[in-house]
Amino acid sequence: MFITAQFDSGNIEVIEANEPSAIQLAIRKDNQSDFYQWFHFKLYAEPGVEHVMTITNAGQSAYPDGWKDYSALASYDRETWFRVPTEYNGKELVIRHSPDQESVYYAYFTPYSYERHMDLIQWAQQSIECEHVLLGPTLDGRDMNLLIVGEPADHKAKIWVTARQHPGESMAEWFMEGFLSRLLDDEDGAARRLLETCVFYIVPNMNPDGSVRGHLRTNAAGVNLNREWAEPSLEKSPEVYYVLNAMQQTGVDFYLDVHGDEALPYNFLAGCEGVPSYNDKMHQLGEQFKQVLLSITPEFQTEYGYEIDKPGEANLTVASNAVSERFSCLAFTLEMPFKDNANLPDVDFGWSANRSQQFGADVLSAIYGIANSLRS
Amino acid sequence: MFITAQFDSGNIEVIEANEPSAIQLAIRKDNQSDFYQWFHFKLYAEPGVEHVMTITNAGQSAYPDGWKDYSALASYDRETWFRVPTEYNGKELVIRHSPDQESVYYAYFTPYSYERHMDLIQWAQQSIECEHVLLGPTLDGRDMNLLIVGEPADHKAKIWVTARQHPGESMAEWFMEGFLSRLLDDEDGAARRLLETCVFYIVPNMNPDGSVRGHLRTNAAGVNLNREWAEPSLEKSPEVYYVLNAMQQTGVDFYLDVHGDEALPYNFLAGCEGVPSYNDKMHQLGEQFKQVLLSITPEFQTEYGYEIDKPGEANLTVASNAVSERFSCLAFTLEMPFKDNANLPDVDFGWSANRSQQFGADVLSAIYGIANSLRS
Amino acid sequence: MFITAQFDSGNIEVIEANEPSAIQLAIRKDNQSDFYQWFHFKLYAEPGVEHVMTITNAGQSAYPDGWKDYSALASYDRETWFRVPTEYNGKELVIRHSPDQESVYYAYFTPYSYERHMDLIQWAQQSIECEHVLLGPTLDGRDMNLLIVGEPADHKAKIWVTARQHPGESMAEWFMEGFLSRLLDDEDGAARRLLETCVFYIVPNMNPDGSVRGHLRTNAAGVNLNREWAEPSLEKSPEVYYVLNAMQQTGVDFYLDVHGDEALPYNFLAGCEGVPSYNDKMHQLGEQFKQVLLSITPEFQTEYGYEIDKPGEANLTVASNAVSERFSCLAFTLEMPFKDNANLPDVDFGWSANRSQQFGADVLSAIYGIANSLRS
Amino acid sequence: MFITAQFDSGNIEVIEANEPSAIQLAIRKDNQSDFYQWFHFKLYAEPGVEHVMTITNAGQSAYPDGWKDYSALASYDRETWFRVPTEYNGKELVIRHSPDQESVYYAYFTPYSYERHMDLIQWAQQSIECEHVLLGPTLDGRDMNLLIVGEPADHKAKIWVTARQHPGESMAEWFMEGFLSRLLDDEDGAARRLLETCVFYIVPNMNPDGSVRGHLRTNAAGVNLNREWAEPSLEKSPEVYYVLNAMQQTGVDFYLDVHGDEALPYNFLAGCEGVPSYNDKMHQLGEQFKQVLLSITPEFQTEYGYEIDKPGEANLTVASNAVSERFSCLAFTLEMPFKDNANLPDVDFGWSANRSQQFGADVLSAIYGIANSLRS
Ligand SMILES: [Ca+2]
Ligand SMILES: [Ca+2]
Ligand SMILES: [Ca+2]
Ligand SMILES: [Ca+2]
C-alpha cells in the first residue's frame, strides 16, 4: 500500500499508511498561505479490501462547511470519476473505499491538468474565429493565455469570461471547455449569431501556477487573486495585472468570472449590486440573463446563493465588482458546487465535469439572450 | 463516367451520360404516385473536369419552388456533405461540379440510411430510460420502431414526437438523432428533470419504406401518410394506423411532427389553430414554446411560415391537426429547410445534418420550458 | 415477440413465433438456387426470458457439417457480436438465449452491410495512393468496385485480392477492411515499401447482390461465382466477367481470393497445386508466404485444410486455379472459419470481425515477405 | 513574440527574442550534469513571418552528430508533429519556420508527457491480464511503475522490457504504447498465445524525473541510469535499483531495453556479444529474433548499428549487458532514430510517434517468433 501525489495538482501528506483500515493523511497548505482544501492523490491499493483514508486536518481547512454532505471523487482510469462514501465528523474527513483495481486516484473534484489546458488552447487557436494571445508570464513562469473569439470591432460588445482564479475550483475550467466547444462550433447558430455582434475575451485558467501546485485558493506567492482587482501588481498578482490591463484596452460590456463554491450544493450567480455604479439597466439585464438560464435548465436556480451586497458596500477588490465598477458593466461571479445540485441530485457522480461543460454551453444561451441589449 | 443509384434512398434515372459537360438525368416518381423531388446518386467522375448534370424533369416536380436558390449537396466520403453550384431555370435544375476525386455522391439533402436508423434504435434501447417497441410491419415488411423514453406513469405528461412521414425530408431524422442524444444523456439536467414528469414516445422514422426506396413523399403504396390521420388503414397506411392506435392507448399531451419544407429557407412551426377544439390554453402554451426557442437560437423564427388556418378550417387528415383534435392537446408540425436558414446563411453547407441535430437538442429546451404546464 | 429480417443481408422465414420457448424458423434459399446457410434476423424479445429458436431446415443446408460445434452470433447494438449457446442434432439447429434487452440481432457471422461497403470504398479513395474504379453493374444494378492501390507501372508486381465471392462469408470483407487499413496507412513501413514495387488491385466485395439479398453462396441469378472463372458471362456472372477482363489488362503476379469455410475451425490456404502450369517456383514462393504467416501468428496453420489437388486435376472454374493457370502466377484461396480457430479458441466471441481484420493485416506481412520474389 | 518552456519536458533558454529573424536560444544542461540535447519550447509567433531560431550551443551538446541532417519537429495542436527546415553549421542549429498560427511548439522529438504516462498506466491496469505495481519513488518523488502482463507462473518465460532510461528519447515510450496496445488486445492472436507461455514485466518509463525536467540523458541527480546497472544505489539511481531488485525476484529470460539514437538514421539492435556468459544459444535466438523483424518490416535493418563488443569486453554497467550477464539471457538494446529511417525516408514527418508505435507492435511479432525457444 502506498500513496503518492507528485503530479499535476497533486496534494496530500501521508502521516501513516501501514494498514488499509487506518490511513492517516493531511492536506498541504497553499504555498505561503493558510488556505487548504484541495486534495488529489493516488492510492496503490489492495484490491477488494476496504481502505479507510482519514484526512486529519479537514476541520481546520478553509471551508469546513464544504465537508458536510460531501463525497470524494475516485477514478481508476482518470477519465470517469465517481463518488465514494465519505463522512465528516466536524474534525476529520473519512473516505471509505474498496477498490476493484490495484490503483485509484482520489480528488476533491475532477482534476483539469495543465497538459489539458495546453491542449485546449492549441485546439481553440486553430479556429478561424479564434486568436490566441500571450498576456505574460506567471510568477512560476507559466503562460497567461487569452483567447479572443470573434473579429474585434469597435461597435461590437466586449464580453470577458475568466475562470479558475481559485485553482482548486477545477469545475471552472471544465465549464470553459463546454463554453468554448460551443462558441467555436461553426454550425452552432447561437454562437455564429453572437460573433456577429460580440467579441469574447476568454481566460480559461487565471491561475495556472496554483493549479499545477495543487492549491485551493492562491497563486504561487500565496495570494488570493480574487482580492487583487483593486490594485494588482506584477510582483504579487501578475495574473490579474495582465488581465486588467488587457480589459482596459478593449473595454468590457459584460463580465463573467467562473468559480466553484465549497459549501452550497447549487449553481448560482453573485451579482454586483453593491457596486457604486450599479444601476437599473444592469439589474434588468442581469434578471434577463438569469431568466434564460432558469427557462432552459434545472441546473440553475436563484433561491440559494450569497447574501446580496448592500448598495455601495461591494468589496471592490473582487473581480466581478471591480470590473463592473471600472467599466460600468454587468458582471457576475458564477458559482458551481463541489458537491451536487441538490435540486437534481446524482448519487453516483454528483456535480461533475460533464455537467460543468453542459452548464458552460447553457450559459452561452443566456449570453445570447442579452447580447443585443449589452450596448443599447 | 457513370452514374448509379442502386443503394439505400438512391433515386435517379440516367437519360444520357456520355460527356461530362452534358449529363441528362431525371428523378423517378415515388412508387404508384406522381410525387418526386428527392434525388441521390453516385457519379463516377473524371477528377478535375467540370460535370454538368441536368435534372431535366425538375420543373414538374412536387415543389418547383424548392429549386429556387437551392444548391445540391455533394460528398466524397458520405460523411461531410457540402453545397455545389446549382441553377434552376424554371424547367431544369443544373448542377455543376468539378470533383477532386474519382467518385462523388450527390443528394437533395444529407441522406439518413436505414442502417443508420437501425443503429440509432439499438443505441437508444441500451439506455435504462428507454424501452424499444415494435409497432408492426410496414407494407414492405420493415419495422415500425417506437422508443419509449422515461418510466410510464399515469400522472406524467405524454409527449409524442414523430419524424419523416415524408421520407425525402431526411433532416427530420437527423433532428431526431440530436433530440434523442440529449434526451438519453444522463448528465443533461433538462433531460433528467423532464423524465421525472413526462414520458416520450418517439418514432424516429414514420416511413422506412419510402426512405429506402428514395421517395420524396409517400410510402411503398404511393400514399402520403400525412393525409391519412383521419382514417388510416392497415392496407394503405399501416404506419399511421399503428401510431394512432398506440397514441390511443397512451393518450397525448403534446405532439410534435418533424418535417422539412422544400421552399421556405427557414425553420418554423405550423400550429393547429384551425382545429375545432383549439383553445386559449393551447395558444398560450404554444407561444411559450416558441418564446423559449426564439430566446435561445437564431435558427428559429416566427415571421415566415405557412398561413394560419382559420378557426375550424384545419385539414384533419394531417397528423398535427388530427392528434390535436383527438387528444385536445397542443400539436405542431415543425419544418426545417432543404436550402438554408436565410437569417443565418452558410454558403458552404447550407442547412445541414449537424444544424438539424442541434435544432433537435434546442427543441428539447423548449419542451422543458412548457413541460410543467402541459397537464395543469 | 416478433422476428423480422427485412434489412441488408436479412434472411429468415418464421414458421411459428408464438411462444419464446418454441420458435420455429427456416432459412430461405438463395434466389434461383438450392444453397442456403446464411441467416440474419432481429428478435423482438421478452427480456430475461429464454428464447428457443429452432432452425428447422438446418439439416438440409449447403454444409450441414458447418453446424457441428457452431455457436450463433448475437448483438444488441450491431457492433459487439457475441456467441450464444447453440446445438445441432443432425437435423435442426437450436439457439437458446435469454436477452437482456428488448431486441437482439442474430446472424451466422458478423454482418458487413452494403452501406459499410460504400463507406469503405469512399474512405479508401481519399488516399493519394488509391484510385477507385467502377468495373460495371451487377445483375441487380449495384456497383462492382475496384480499388487500385499504388501508382501503376510496368515493372511493378501486380497483386490481385478479391473477397466474398460467396456473400455469406462476411468475414472476407472484414478481412479486406483490415488489409486496406494497413495498406493505406502512410506511416506503415511494410505498406510503404510494398507500394514501391507492387500495385494492388482489390475487390473488397465480389458479390454485392448476394450480400444484400442475404445469400450464402450465389449472386442474384443463383450462380456460384467461384465456378464461373472458366467462362464467365455478362448474363449470369458479370461480377467475374469484369474482374477477369481487368486482370487481363493488368496481368497478375499474385492472387489471393478470400473466403470463409463453414466446417473447418481453422484459417488455412488452399493452393493451386492441381493446375497444369504449377511449378517449383510457385511452390517455393507459396511455402515462403506460409512461413511468414506461421512465424507471426497462431491464427494461421497448415495442418488442417482441403485435400491438395493432384497434378493436373485442379478445377479450373475456381478463381484461384483459373487465375493461376491463365497468368502462370501463385494464387491461393484463403479460408477463415465461421466457428473459431480451434488452436486458439475464444468462447465468448469465437472467430470474429476483429480477428478477421487482424488476419488481413498479418497477410500483408506475408505479401511483404514474398514481394521481391514475385517477378524475379 | 515570446518563447516559453515552463511545462512538462520543456527545455530552452532565451538569449534574445526581439526579432523573428534573429532568435537566439540555448538548451539547458540536465540538472547536475553536462549533458544536453533535448529541447521543447513554445513560440508565440507572428503568423506568416519567417522565424529564424538559432540554438547557439548546439555544437557543444552531447551528440553533435545528432544535428547533421536533422530536422526539428513542430506542432500547432500538440498532436500532429511535422518536420521544419533545420540546418547545422557545425556550431549552431538553425530552425526556420513561418507559422500559420499564433503559437507553435517545437521539440527534438514528439514529446510524451507524464500525464500521458499516467493515462497509459491506468488504461493498462484495467486489463484482466495486467497487474500494476509500484516499485518505489524516484528522487523527485514520482512513481516507478511496473506493469506485469500475463498470469505469473514458474514455468513461463520472463520477458522484461524497459524504456526511456534516457528521458529525451521519447520515441521509446511511444514504442511502449504500441507494444502494450497489442499485448493487451484480447483479440490479437500472437499476444494471446504469448501470454500462455510468457509473463511480461514492463517499465514504460525508467526515468520519469528526467522526462518531466526536460533532460536528455540523466535522472534528477544528473546520473546516466544506463551506466548504473553494475551497482545501482537508492541515493543516486533508485530507478535502476528497484528494477534490478524486481528482476532478481522474477528472473529474466529475455530483456529488451528501448532507446533512441541521436546520430544514426536507422532502427537497430545492439546485442550483448561482449558479455562473459554470451553463448551460441543466445546468438542463435538473437539471429532468429532479428530474422522475424527483417522479414516483416523495412523499418528494421542490421547493416548499420554500433560496433559489436569483443568477447568479454562488454560494459557491464549498461542495462542490456548487465542483465544478460546476471541472468544468462538474451538481451538487446533497441535503438530508434531521432532523424528518420534512411531506408524509408519520410520528408514530412521523419521518424515519428506513429512509426515508433508500429515498430513496438512489430517487435511483439519478433518475440512471438522466439518465445518457445526462450526456456528450452
Ligand atoms: Ca486561429
Ligand atoms: Ca432499454
Ligand atoms: Ca484517391
Ligand atoms: Ca488489472
Side-chain angles (χ1 to χ4, degrees), chain D residues 109-338:
Chain D
F109 196 78
T110 302
Y112 196 105
S113 73
Y114 193 59
E115 284 286 310
R116 189 171 185 124
H117 169 79
M118 295 194 291
D119 287 343
L120 175 69
I121 295 291
Q122 299 308 111
W123 166 78
Q125 91 158 353
Q126 298 192 79
S127 164
I128 200 166
E129 291 287 3
C130 181
E131 190 189 354
H132 170 204
V133 172
L134 173 70
L135 292 174
T138 64
L139 296 176
D140 282 346
R142 292 192 180 83
D143 301 355
M144 282 301 295
N145 293 133
L146 171 68
L147 298 170
I148 305 177
V149 183
E151 189 65 37
D154 280 354
H155 70 279
K156 290 189 179 176
K158 276 59 176 184
I159 295 175
W160 276 81
V161 188
T162 59
R164 218 178 169 187
Q165 288 197 73
H166 299 142
E169 297 161 17
S170 56
M171 61 284 284
E173 196 158 5
W174 290 109
F175 174 103
M176 293 312 302
E177 200 171 290
F179 187 87
L180 279 164
S181 290
R182 204 177 154 196
L183 189 60
L184 296 175
D185 176 354
D186 59 11
E187 300 201 69
D188 184 288
R192 286 178 62 209
R193 177 54 41 92
L194 272 170
L195 295 183
E196 292 170 9
T197 58
C198 304
V199 191
F200 288 80
Y201 298 88
I202 293 170
V203 184
N205 188 340
M206 284 290 297
N207 195 342
D209 291 349
S211 301
V212 173
R213 284 168 172 263
H215 282 189
L216 172 71
R217 208 161 165 77
T218 75
N219 72 358
V223 172
N224 176 350
L225 295 179
N226 205 22
R227 296 297 179 276
E228 291 288 309
W229 291 73
E231 248 180 300
S233 70
L234 275 175
E235 294 70 33
K236 284 177 51 194
S237 48
E239 299 91 345
V240 176
Y241 183 92
Y242 299 135
V243 170
L244 205 50
N245 263 11
M247 285 175 163
Q248 205 65 44
Q249 285 166 41
T250 63
V252 184
D253 294 300
F254 177 58
Y255 175 47
L256 197 65
D257 186 36
V258 186
H259 286 253
D261 185 86
E262 287 79 2
L264 288 172
Y266 298 103
N267 288 298
F268 59 96
L269 290 168
C272 42
E273 291 86 353
V275 148
S277 65
Y278 190 72
N279 59 31
D280 267 10
K281 199 203 148 189
M282 286 183 204
H283 182 74
Q284 281 162 24
L285 262 181
E287 291 306 300
Q288 202 180 330
F289 183 84
K290 291 175 192 170
Q291 203 48 53
V292 178
L293 272 182
L294 285 173
S295 76
I296 60 172
T297 177
E299 302 287 28
F300 182 65
Q301 54 80 51
T302 53
E303 192 176 347
Y304 301 94
Y306 298 148
E307 216 176 317
I308 295 175
D309 287 334
K310 299 213 183 81
E313 296 195 357
N315 179 345
L316 293 177
T317 67
V318 167
S320 58
N321 289 331
V323 171
S324 175
E325 181 60 18
R326 189 182 286 221
F327 299 97
S328 292
C329 71
L330 180 63
F332 283 118
T333 302
L334 181 151
E335 299 279 350
M336 286 175 284
F338 278 84

Side-chain angles (χ1 to χ4, degrees), chain A residues 237-259:
Chain A
S237 48
E239 299 90 346
V240 176
Y241 183 92
Y242 299 135
V243 170
L244 205 50
N245 262 11
M247 286 175 162
Q248 204 65 44
Q249 285 166 39
T250 64
V252 185
D253 295 301
F254 177 59
Y255 175 46
L256 197 65
D257 186 36
V258 185
H259 286 253

Side-chain angles (χ1 to χ4, degrees), chain A residues 182 185-193 196 292-299 340 343-347 349-350 352-355 358 362 365 368-369, chain B residues 182 185-193 196 292-299 340 343-347 349-350 352-355 358 362 365 368-369:
Chain A
R182 205 178 154 196
D185 176 352
D186 57 13
E187 299 201 68
D188 185 288
R192 286 177 63 208
R193 174 56 39 93
E196 292 170 7
V292 178
L293 272 182
L294 285 172
S295 76
I296 61 171
T297 177
E299 303 286 27
D340 202 342
N343 285 337
L344 196 69
D346 180 328
V347 289
F349 299 105
S352 68
N354 282 353
R355 290 166 85 181
Q358 180 63 48
D362 285 342
S365 294
Y368 175 76
Chain B
R182 205 178 154 195
D185 176 352
D186 58 12
E187 300 200 70
D188 185 289
R192 288 176 62 209
R193 174 58 40 91
E196 292 171 7
V292 178
L293 271 183
L294 285 173
S295 77
I296 61 171
T297 177
E299 303 286 28
D340 201 344
N343 286 336
L344 195 69
D346 179 328
V347 289
F349 300 106
S352 67
N354 283 352
R355 290 166 85 180
Q358 179 63 48
D362 285 341
S365 294
Y368 174 76

Side-chain angles (χ1 to χ4, degrees), chain B residues 100-102, chain C residues 124-132:
Chain B
D100 294 335
Q101 302 190 16
E102 297 96 355
Chain C
Q125 92 158 353
Q126 299 192 79
S127 164
I128 199 166
E129 292 286 4
C130 180
E131 191 189 353
H132 170 205

Side-chain angles (χ1 to χ4, degrees), chain C residues 182 185-193 196 292-299 340 343-347 349-350 352-355 358 362 365 368-369, chain D residues 182 185-193 196 292-299 340 343-347 349-350 352-355 358 362 365 368-369:
Chain C
R182 204 177 154 196
D185 176 353
D186 58 12
E187 300 201 68
D188 185 288
R192 286 176 64 209
R193 175 56 41 91
E196 291 170 8
V292 178
L293 272 182
L294 286 172
S295 76
I296 61 170
T297 177
E299 302 287 28
D340 202 343
N343 286 336
L344 195 68
D346 180 328
V347 290
F349 300 105
S352 67
N354 282 352
R355 289 167 85 181
Q358 180 63 48
D362 284 342
S365 294
Y368 175 75
Chain D
R182 204 177 154 196
D185 176 354
D186 59 11
E187 300 201 69
D188 184 288
R192 286 178 62 209
R193 177 54 41 92
E196 292 170 9
V292 178
L293 272 182
L294 285 173
S295 76
I296 60 172
T297 177
E299 302 287 28
D340 202 343
N343 286 336
L344 196 68
D346 180 329
V347 289
F349 300 106
S352 68
N354 282 353
R355 290 167 85 181
Q358 180 62 48
D362 285 342
S365 294
Y368 175 75

Side-chain angles (χ1 to χ4, degrees), chain B residues 177-204:
Chain B
E177 199 172 291
F179 187 86
L180 279 164
S181 291
R182 205 178 154 195
L183 190 59
L184 296 176
D185 176 352
D186 58 12
E187 300 200 70
D188 185 289
R192 288 176 62 209
R193 174 58 40 91
L194 272 170
L195 296 183
E196 292 171 7
T197 58
C198 305
V199 193
F200 289 80
Y201 299 87
I202 294 171
V203 184

